[in-house]
Amino acid sequence: MTRVLVARQDNLGDVLLAGPCVRAVAASASHVTLLAGPHGRAAAELLPGVDDVLTWTAPWIDPEPPPVTAADTGAFVALIRAKSFDRALILTSFHQSPLPLALLLRQAGVPWIGAISEDYPGSLLDLRHRVDGDPPEPVRMLSLAEAAGFSLPPDDHGALALRRPLPNTSRLTGGGAYVVVHPAASVPARQPSADWSRRMVRALAGDGHRVLVTGAPSERPLTQHVAGTSAVNLGGRTSLAELAAVLSGAQVVVAPNTGPAHLAAAAGTPVVSLFAPVVPPQRWAPYGVPTVVLGDQQAPCRASRARACPVPGHPCLDTIDPADVCRAVTALAQPGVVPPVPAAATS
């Protein structure tokens, strides 16, 4: 019996990208617990191979971190100690340190801990894994599991995946084929303007596509503006599992670099990725499904990790020609067709 804790404590897209790593662990562990942050818990509950989910806000990862208190960290250490884990894998992005969590897990008595770490870990890690180059994030995380002795089964495709069955959402989607546009992103720099998204939806509708616009409850004013009279506004009308079902039924999903783009990939749906180059697309573009990346990858904000666009007019996204989106959607909607990548998307 091997009880393994896998930690990924940031956003829902990051948790979804951890899916292949989690499944590799689950293939030989007797029980897998995923430790998520509050922004990623709903995604953790959709991952195959996860037996249960713990939620704790890591003050060194959360974008709006709580204060560090002895009471909070003490309660967390006590919770982990009570679970009696045999091993732990700490999954982080390249700019996040696994060492604060490793310290708390050591205090909780976890006997074996592995992580990717550039920093000297001392006695905090039993496995200090290094990754060469800049692979896609799911590949990077899976490599940690493999270094720890966990492997995907031979019949596992290695792509993102969701726990099924998903909810029936026919009351929302209606009958017939449709394209989903998800206009919002968790980081403003990665999101096209509302007016550009509205023009793009109009262009898709004019091209003969039935368009559904999705978003969180807080994004409903945006989704209403973007949908206008050209599309169906589903903003605020779905849980994450229901959103996954809507995306799963779409011919194509059009979205910026944000969690629902990865949710679409996990659902197996092709994606037109409106990708602001503040982070590298080779690492963060939708993984494992046919994808067209649009956006000026040579824009001045390249690799800046900016959360707010530093360039007036947001040219990396708002200069995309909606006709290019239409062409990409039409190509991706044809099974087996790999569309050409417009020049603006090259790196």
Side-chain angles (χ1 to χ4, degrees):
M1 297 287 287
T2 305
R3 295 175 55 82
V4 181
L5 177 72
V6 179
R8 183 80 206 212
Q9 293 180 274
D10 33 17
N11 290 325
L12 69 91
D14 307 294
V15 172
L16 292 168
L17 293 173
C21 174
V22 169
R23 298 199 307 276
V25 173
S28 56
S30 59
H31 190 280
V32 177
T33 296
L34 200 146
L35 173 62
H39 303 292
R41 181 184 177 98
E45 292 172 344
L46 292 177
L47 289 185
V50 173
D51 294 301
D52 71 323
V53 180
L54 298 179
T55 307
W56 185 66
T57 304
W60 57 92
I61 288 179
D62 197 86
E64 297 180 354
V68 178
T69 67
D72 183 45
T73 56
F76 174 72
V77 167
L79 173 64
I80 299 300
R81 184 179 294 278
K83 296 289 184 178
S84 299
F85 293 109
D86 301 295
R87 308 180 82 183
L89 293 180
I90 303 173
L91 307 180
T92 52
S93 292
F94 74 98
H95 61 279
Q96 298 167 345
S97 173
L99 300 185
L101 179 58
L103 175 61
L104 296 178
L105 297 183
R106 283 289 192 230
Q107 291 178 334
V110 178
W112 190 97
I113 303 170
I116 298 170
S117 181
E118 292 298 321
D119 298 322
Y120 171 64
S123 60
L124 296 180
L125 297 180
D126 299 280
L127 170 63
R128 180 193 186 186
H129 183 51
R130 305 287 187 93
V131 178
D132 296 327
D134 199 21
E137 192 70 3
V139 174
R140 181 175 177 271
M141 288 187 277
L142 178 60
S143 74
L144 174 61
E146 291 170 339
F150 299 106
S151 299
L152 286 171
D155 60 349
D156 192 306
H157 46 62
L160 308 189
L162 297 172
R163 192 186 298 272
R164 293 180 184 265
L166 295 170
N168 185 334
T169 53
S170 57
R171 74 189 190 284
L172 299 173
T173 61
Y178 61 89
V179 170
V180 169
V181 171
H182 189 92
S186 58
V187 175
R190 302 178 192 173
Q191 177 178 315
S193 70
D195 288 342
W196 183 90
S197 295
R198 182 183 174 100
R199 290 196 302 273
M200 183 260 293
V201 164
R202 242 189 338 246
L204 286 170
D207 220 28
H209 298 286
R210 187 165 68 95
V211 181
L212 310 182
V213 179
T214 58
S218 62
E219 296 158 354
R220 189 165 176 80
L222 170 65
T223 60
Q224 183 60 63
H225 177 80
V226 170
T229 58
S230 303
V232 176
N233 177 23
L234 296 183
R237 298 177 61 188
T238 61
S239 65
L240 190 66
E242 289 169 332
L243 176 59
V246 171
L247 300 180
S248 180
Q251 291 180 293
V252 180
V253 172
V254 182
N257 176 27
T258 194
H262 302 302
L263 189 63
T269 303
V271 180
V272 177
S273 178
L274 309 174
F275 202 98
V278 291
V279 294
Q282 63 268 28
R283 177 175 288 180
W284 295 105
Y287 180 76
V289 295
T291 299
V292 173
V293 175
L294 298 178
D296 181 5
Q297 299 305 301
Q298 302 300 323
C301 64
R302 183 182 186 188
S304 66
R305 291 179 50 221
R307 296 182 64 84
C309 179
V311 183
H314 209 4
C316 69
L317 296 181
D318 278 14
T319 57
I320 298 172
D321 187 344
D324 281 341
V325 179
C326 292
R327 282 189 283 270
V329 166
T330 298
L332 287 173
Q334 302 175 45
V337 173
V338 179
V341 179
T346 58
S347 58

